[in-house]
C-alpha cells in the first residue's frame, strides 16, 4: 500500500529551496569577501609601490647584510674625512666663510640616505656649483647664498612634481663633458690667486685674468710655496692608489696604500694646520694666509631671511630675485646634471631623473634652513665611493655624522688651515674632470658632436658656464629638429623578376617638417630615371604620421601624375587596396606605399595612382601590371600572368 504525504513533500521542497537560497547567499558573501580582499591587496600594492618609488630606502633596506655594512661603513668614514676639507675649500671658492661649507655637508646626506636613487652619490658642496654660485652672489650679503639654495630646491621640487626630468635628455654627453672640462679650468684659474696670496673676488674668467695680471706684484711667495708643496703631496699620495692595485704586493701593504691615497686631502689639511698651530704657539709669524671665521657649534635651524637689511640698503624678496637673476634656474640644472652624470657611470646607467629632482630639491630646501650653500653629488666623491666598494646610500649616514662631529668640536681649529692648502685640494680634485680624449675621438668619428663640444667649451670659458650651458642646449634642440625635418631616406633602384622600381625607405617617423624632404627625394629620383618605373615607399619604419604629412603623400602622388592617353589595362583592386578604386592610372607613375600601418593609411586621402600593399607578392603583381601597360615586357610571354591578374587580352 502506498501512502501519499503531500504536506511532507511541500516541506521537503521548501527546505530544499531555503537551502539553495542559503548556499547562494553564502556564495555571494564569499565572492564579496574575495573581491574586497583583492581590492584591498591591490590598493595596498599601489600604495607600497608609490612609497618605494619615493622613499628609496624601502627598496634595499630589507636586503641589507653584513658585507654591505662593512663596505658602506669604510666608504662612509673615508668619504667623511674627505668631504671636510673639500667642503671648506668649496665655501671659500663660493666666497663664504669655511664654516658654511661644513653646514652644507650633513643635512643633504641624511635626506639622500632615505630618498636617493643612486647608490654612489654622496651629497655635499661641489666646486662646480660653488663656482657658478659665486657668479650670482659676488659682492652681495652672505644671506644671498642661503636664499639661492632655498630657491634652487624649490625649482627642483617643482620640476620633479611636474615630471620635467625628460628635459635633461636634451643635454647630450658632449655637452656635459665640455661643461665639466670648462668648469674645471675656471675653478683652477680661480685658485691661482689663492696660491699666490692675492685677495680679490670678481665674476668671469676675463675679468679675473685682468685683475690677476694687474696685481701679480702683490703675490706672496710663502702662499705659493705652501700651495706647491701641498699639490706635490697630493699627487704623490694619489699615485699610491695605483700601487695598491698591484697583485704582487702584500695585502696589508696594498690596503695601507689604498687608504692613504683616499685620505690624502685630510692628511694634508692635518699636517699644514698642525704646522700653523705649533708656529702660533711659539709666537712665530705665519707668512702665509690662514682661513678665518670658523665659528664652533652647530648651525641654528631656521628659514632663510627673505628680507635682508644692510647698512647701505634693504633687499626685499623681489629685489633678491632680481639680483639672483637666472641663477635661480641655472644652479638647479647644474646640480642635477652632476647627479645624472654620476648615475650614468654606474653599471646599470639608468637614472630616475624626476626622483633625483625631488630628492636634491629636498636636500637644498632643508639645507637652506641650516645655512647651506647649494649641494649635489661630486665626481671626486663618486670615485672614492666606487674604489671603497660602496653598496648603498647608507654611507651618507656615516659621512654626515663625521661632519656633524667636526662642526661640534673641530670648527675652531679650521682657523689654522692655510688657504693655499685648500686651493691645492680643489685644483687636484677638479683636475680629474678635464677630459680631452673625448673631443679627439669626436673629431675623428663625429664632426657634428665635436662642433657641439667645441661651442659649449668656448662659450663656457669666455661667457660663463650658465651661458655656455644655455647655448649648448639650444644647439642640441636645433640638431634634433634638423634630424626630425631631414630624416635619413634611402633611395635606390631594385628589381623583382627583372622588373625595376624605385625603392624609398624613410629612416623613422614622417611628420610635417619632413614630408617635403621626402617628396623632393622621390621626385628627383623619378626625374633621373631613364624610363617611367613605379615608386615603392617602404613604410615599415614609419611609426608616426600627422595630417600634414599624410596630405603630403597625396601631393607626392599628384607630382607623379602625367596627362597621357587612357590606360591600356586595368589594375586589379582586389589584391591591394587602392585609394579610389579607379580602373587605371592614365599614364601616371604608380606610387606604392608598402607595409604602412593600417591606422596610418586612414589619414591619407584617395589618389588615382596611389595604392597600399603589405606583401612582396602584391608588389610583383603591380610591377607586372605596370610593365605590361608601359610595354616594358612582351605581352605574349606574360599572358598567363595577365590572365591571373584579370586582364582581358585580345591576340590578333
Amino acid at each position: 500500500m502506498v501512502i501519499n504525504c503531500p504536506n511532507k513533500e511541500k516541506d521537503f521542497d521548501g527546505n530544499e529551496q531555503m537551502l539553495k537560497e542559503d548556499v547562494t547567499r553564502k556564495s555571494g558573501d564569499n565572492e564579496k569577501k574575495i573581491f574586497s580582499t583583492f581590492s584591498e591587496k591591490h590598493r595596498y600594492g599601489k600604495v607600497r609601490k608609490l612609497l618605494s618609488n619615493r622613499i628609496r630606502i624601502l627598496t634595499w633596506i630589507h636586503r641589507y647584510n653584513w658585507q654591505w655594512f662593512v663596505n658602506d661603513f669604510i666608504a662612509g668614514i673615508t668619504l667623511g674625512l674627505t668631504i671636510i676639507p673639500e667642503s671648506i675649500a668649496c665655501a671659500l671658492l663660493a666666497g663664504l666663510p669655511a664654516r658654511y661649507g661644513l653646514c652644507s655637508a650633513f643635512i643633504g646626506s641624511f635626506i639622500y640616505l632615505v630618498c636617493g636613487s643612486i647608490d654612489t652619490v654622496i651629497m655635499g658642496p661641489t666646486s662646480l656649483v660653488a663656482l657658478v654660485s659665486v657668479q650670482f652672489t659676488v659682492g652681495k650679503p652672505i644671506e644671498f647664498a642661503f636664499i639661492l639654495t632655498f630657491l634652487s630646491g624649490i625649482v627642483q621640487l617643482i620640476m620633479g612634481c611636474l615630471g620635467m626630468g625628460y628635459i635633461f635628455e636634451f643635454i647630450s654627453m658632449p655637452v656635459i663633458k665640455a661643461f665639466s672640462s670648462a668648469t674645471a679650468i675656471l675653478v683652477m684659474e680661480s685658485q691661482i690667486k689663492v696660491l699666490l696670496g692675492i685677495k680679490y673676488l670678481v665674476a668671469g674668467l676675463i675679468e679675473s685674468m685682468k685683475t690677476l695680471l694687474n696685481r701679480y706684484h702683490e703675490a706672496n711667495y710663502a702662499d705659493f710655496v705652501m700651495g706647491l708643496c701641498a699639490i706635490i703631496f697630493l699627487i704623490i699620495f694619489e699615485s699610491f692608489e695605483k700601487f695598491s692595485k698591484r697583485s704582487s704586493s702584500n695585502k696589508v701593504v696594498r690596503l695601507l696604500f689604498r687608504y692613504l691615497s683616499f685620505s690624502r686631502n685630510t692628511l694634508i689639511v692635518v699636517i699644514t694646520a698642525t704646522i700653523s698651530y705649533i708656529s702660533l704657539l711659539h709666537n712665530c709669524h705665519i707668512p702665509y694666509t690662514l682661513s678665518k671665521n670658523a665659528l664652533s657649534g652647530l648651525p641654528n635651524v631656521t628659514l632663510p631671511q627673505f628680507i635682508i637689511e644692510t647698512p647701505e640698503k634693504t633687499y626685499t624678496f623681489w629685489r633678491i630675485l632680481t639680483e639672483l637673476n637666472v641663477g635661480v634656474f641655472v644652479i638647479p640644472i647644474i646640480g642635477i646634471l652632476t647627479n645624472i652624470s654620476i648615475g650614468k657611470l654606474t653599471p646599470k646607467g639608468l637614472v630616475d631623473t624626476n626622483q633625483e629632482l625631488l630628492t636634491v630639491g629636498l636636500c637644498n630646501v632643508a639645507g637652506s634652513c641650516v645655512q647651506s650653500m647649494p649641494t649635489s653629488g661630486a665626481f671626486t666623491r663618486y670615485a672614492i665611493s666606487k674604489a671603497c666598494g660602496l653598496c648603498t646610500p647608507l654611507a651618507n649616514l656615516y659621512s654626515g655624522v663625521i661632519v656633524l662631529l667636526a662642526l661640534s668640536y673641530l670648527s675652531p681649529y679650521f682657523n689654522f688651515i692655510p688657504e693655499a692648502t685648500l686651493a691645492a685640494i680643489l685644483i687636484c680634485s677638479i683636475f680629474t674632470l678635464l677630459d680631452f680624449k673625448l673631443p679627439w675621438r669626436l673629431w675623428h668619428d663625429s664632426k657634428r658632436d665635436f662642433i657641439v663640444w667645441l661651442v659649449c667649451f668656448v662659450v663656457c670659458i669666455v661667457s660663463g658656464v650658465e651661458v655656455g650651458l644655455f647655448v649648448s642646449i639650444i644647439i642640441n634642440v636645433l640638431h634634433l629638429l634638423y634630424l626630425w625635418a631631414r630624416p635619413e631616406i634611402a633611395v635606390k633602384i631594385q628589381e623583382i623578376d627583372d622588373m625595376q622600381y624605385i625603392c624609398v625607405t624613410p629612416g623613422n617617423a614622417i611628420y610635417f617638417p619632413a614630408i617635403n624632404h621626402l617628396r623632393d627625394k622621390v621626385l628627383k629620383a623619378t626625374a633621373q630615371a631613364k624610363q617611367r618605373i613605379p615608386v615603392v615607399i617602404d613604410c615599415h619604419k614609419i611609426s608616426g604620421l600627422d595630417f600634414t604629412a599624410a596630405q603630403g603623400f597625396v601631393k607626392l602622388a599628384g607630382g607623379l601624375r602625367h596627362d597621357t592617353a587612357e590606360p591600356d589595362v586595368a589594375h586589379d583592386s582586389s589584391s591591394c587596396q587602392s585609394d579610389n578604386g579607379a580602373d587605371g592610372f592614365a599614364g601616371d607613375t604608380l606610387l606604392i606605399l608598402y607595409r604602412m600601418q593600417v591606422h596610418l593609411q586612414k589619414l591619407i586621402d584617395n589618389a588615382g595612382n596611389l595604392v597600399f600593399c603589405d606583401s612582396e607578392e602584391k608588389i610583383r603583381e603591380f610591377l607586372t601590371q605596370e610593365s605590361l601597360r608601359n610595354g616594358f615586357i612582351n605581352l605574349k610571354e606574360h599572358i598567363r600572368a595577365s590572365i591571373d591578374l584579370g586582364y582581358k587580352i585580345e591576340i590578333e
Side-chain angles (χ1 to χ4, degrees):
M1 181 176 62
V2 179
I3 300 175
N4 295 325
C5 299
N7 292 333
K8 288 185 178 182
E9 289 181 0
K10 288 181 180 180
D11 291 343
F12 178 77
D13 293 340
N15 291 337
E16 185 178 8
Q17 184 66 28
M18 291 176 61
L19 182 62
K20 289 181 179 180
E21 292 176 357
D22 186 54
V23 170
T24 303
R25 184 170 58 256
K26 288 182 178 180
S27 177
D29 292 341
N30 290 336
E31 289 179 359
K32 289 181 180 179
K33 289 180 180 179
I34 293 172
F35 181 75
S36 176
T37 303
F38 176 77
S39 300
E40 290 178 359
K41 288 183 177 180
H42 181 66
R43 188 161 50 250
Y44 172 75
K46 291 180 68 176
V47 172
R48 184 178 179 182
K49 183 178 180 180
L50 178 63
L51 287 175
S52 62
N53 284 339
R54 294 291 172 251
I55 306 176
R56 290 302 180 92
I57 192 174
L58 298 177
T59 62
W60 54 264
I61 193 64
H62 62 280
R63 297 183 285 113
Y64 205 76
N65 54 50
W66 177 256
Q67 184 61 44
W68 287 9
F69 167 76
V70 173
N71 289 348
D72 288 347
F73 183 78
I74 294 174
I77 299 299
T78 306
L79 288 163
L81 296 174
T82 301
I83 203 173
I84 291 174
E86 280 191 356
S87 299
I88 297 173
C90 289
L92 298 180
L93 177 61
L96 302 173
R99 179 175 185 270
Y100 295 108
L102 292 179
C103 293
S104 311
F106 71 91
I107 191 68
S109 298
F110 297 146
I111 294 175
Y112 201 86
L113 159 68
V114 178
C115 302
S117 60
I118 304 173
D119 296 342
T120 50
V121 165
I122 303 296
M123 292 298 294
T126 68
S127 54
L128 275 74
V129 177
L131 177 68
V132 181
S133 298
V134 76
Q135 311 292 324
F136 303 102
T137 60
V138 60
K140 300 180 179 65
I142 195 173
E143 289 81 6
F144 268 73
F146 311 143
I147 295 178
L148 180 59
T149 303
F150 177 81
L151 294 176
S152 298
I154 293 297
V155 171
Q156 287 168 334
L157 286 174
I158 292 174
M159 294 178 70
C161 291
L162 296 178
M164 298 174 65
Y166 67 90
I167 293 177
F168 295 93
E169 301 300 329
F170 288 96
I171 304 176
S172 63
M173 186 57 66
V175 170
I176 295 175
K177 290 292 186 180
F179 167 77
S180 301
S181 297
T183 306
I185 291 176
L186 292 174
V187 170
M188 289 189 289
E189 186 279 329
S190 69
Q191 296 307 296
I192 293 177
K193 66 178 185 292
V194 181
L195 290 177
L196 297 176
I198 303 174
K199 294 286 185 181
Y200 66 85
L201 194 61
V202 296
L205 175 69
I206 297 176
E207 290 299 321
S208 178
M209 292 299 294
K210 286 181 180 179
T211 307
L212 181 62
L213 292 175
N214 291 332
R215 298 178 58 182
Y216 75 92
H217 58 275
E218 301 177 13
N220 183 353
Y221 292 101
D223 283 293
F224 178 73
V225 171
M226 174 61 73
L228 183 61
C229 291
I231 290 175
I232 294 172
F233 177 93
L234 292 171
I235 292 174
I236 292 174
F237 271 66
E238 185 181 8
S239 64
F240 287 172
E241 184 180 357
K242 297 180 180 178
F243 182 82
S244 66
K245 295 179 180 179
R246 295 181 181 177
S247 58
S248 59
S249 305
N250 183 276
K251 184 177 181 181
V252 176
V253 175
R254 282 191 284 116
L255 285 176
L256 176 63
F257 276 89
R258 182 181 181 185
Y259 288 107
L260 281 175
S261 176
F262 294 156
S263 306
R264 59 186 179 272
N265 292 343
T266 305
L267 289 174
I268 190 61
V269 165
V270 171
I271 292 171
T272 54
T274 302
I275 294 173
S276 303
Y277 180 74
I278 295 174
S279 299
L280 289 174
L281 280 180
H282 292 82
N283 297 319
C284 295
H285 172 67
I286 301 295
Y288 46 82
T289 308
L290 299 179
S291 58
K292 299 177 182 179
N293 300 321
L295 304 176
S296 61
L298 296 174
N300 297 323
V301 181
T302 179
L303 284 173
Q305 299 179 18
F306 297 108
I307 299 178
I308 303 173
E309 295 182 357
T310 64
E312 294 80 14
K313 62 177 72 174
T314 298
Y315 294 91
T316 62
F317 180 69
W318 295 112
R319 177 71 180 274
I320 293 172
L321 283 179
T322 304
E323 293 287 338
L324 292 176
N325 205 344
V326 295
V328 177
F329 303 101
V330 173
I331 297 299
I333 291 175
I334 292 175
I336 203 66
L337 266 181
T338 305
N339 282 29
I340 293 173
S341 301
I342 293 173
K344 290 183 178 180
L345 293 176
T346 58
K348 292 183 179 179
L350 299 176
V351 182
D352 186 346
T353 309
N354 291 323
Q355 177 64 18
E356 283 299 299
L357 283 168
L358 293 172
T359 305
V360 178
L362 283 175
C363 292
N364 282 325
V365 170
S368 67
C369 300
V370 292
Q371 302 170 343
S372 165
M373 56 191 290
T375 60
S376 69
F379 289 102
T380 53
R381 297 194 286 270
Y382 161 75
I384 295 175
S385 64
K386 182 181 178 183
C388 291
L390 184 145
C391 298
T392 69
L394 195 63
N396 281 277
L397 173 63
Y398 311 124
S399 173
V401 169
I402 289 177
V403 173
L404 281 177
L405 292 174
L407 268 172
S408 302
Y409 302 107
L410 300 179
S411 290
Y413 299 101
F414 298 149
N415 289 320
F416 302 107
I417 303 174
E419 287 191 358
T421 300
L422 298 175
I425 291 174
L426 273 181
I427 290 173
C428 292
S429 298
I430 203 72
F431 186 79
T432 57
L433 293 183
L434 287 174
D435 183 6
F436 292 109
K437 293 181 180 179
L438 178 65
W440 180 258
R441 179 180 177 184
L442 294 177
W443 171 255
H444 289 89
D445 298 338
S446 177
K447 294 292 194 298
R448 185 178 297 167
D449 284 330
F450 173 79
I451 293 173
V452 172
W453 181 94
L454 184 62
V455 170
C456 179
F457 181 80
V458 172
V459 175
C460 283
I461 292 292
V462 176
S463 303
V465 291
E466 65 279 3
V467 179
L469 188 62
F470 179 71
V471 170
S472 302
I473 292 174
I474 292 178
I475 292 175
N476 271 335
V477 172
L478 291 176
H479 180 210
L480 292 174
L481 290 176
Y482 175 81
L483 295 177
W484 190 26
R486 293 293 181 269
E488 181 181 353
I489 299 175
V491 180
K492 54 185 177 180
I493 301 293
Q494 292 188 348
E495 292 184 357
I496 296 180
D497 297 341
D498 296 330
M499 295 177 291
Q500 292 185 338
Y501 65 93
I502 300 173
C503 180
V504 181
T505 307
N508 49 30
I510 299 294
Y511 293 105
F512 66 91
I515 188 62
N516 287 335
H517 178 57
L518 175 65
R519 290 169 58 192
D520 291 342
K521 285 272 189 179
V522 173
L523 293 177
K524 184 178 180 180
T526 55
Q528 292 177 348
K530 295 181 180 179
Q531 57 189 12
R532 185 185 305 167
I533 55 177
V535 176
V536 177
I537 300 180
D538 192 344
C539 306
H540 75 281
K541 292 184 180 180
I542 299 180
S543 57
L545 192 71
D546 60 10
F547 180 77
T548 305
Q551 297 305 304
F553 280 107
V554 178
K555 292 180 180 179
L556 173 60
L560 298 174
R561 187 174 296 123
H562 302 278
D563 295 328
T564 58
E566 291 296 319
D568 299 326
V569 294
H571 288 274
D572 180 16
S573 61
S574 61
S575 60
C576 287
Q577 178 187 355
S578 175
D579 284 297
N580 63 351
D583 293 330
F585 301 117
D588 305 331
T589 298
L590 180 64
L591 176 62
I592 303 173
L593 300 184
Y594 176 46
R595 295 192 292 186
M596 176 173 280
Q597 299 179 30
V598 176
H599 71 280
L600 300 180
Q601 297 178 15
K602 297 178 181 178
L603 294 172
I604 301 176
D605 294 336
N606 295 333
N609 59 327
L610 187 151
V611 294
F612 298 103
C613 255
D614 57 3
S615 67
E616 188 174 335
E617 185 61 33
K618 301 300 181 183
I619 292 180
R620 180 180 286 104
E621 293 181 9
F622 274 111
L623 294 180
T624 303
Q625 190 176 5
E626 285 295 293
S627 297
L628 288 169
R629 183 168 64 89
N630 295 324
F632 297 151
I633 59 176
N634 188 284
L635 182 61
K636 293 184 178 180
E637 293 179 357
H638 294 82
I639 190 170
R640 175 51 58 192
S642 301
I643 294 173
D644 291 340
L645 289 173
Y647 286 18
K648 294 181 180 179
I649 300 174
E650 296 180 359
I651 302 177
E652 296 179 358

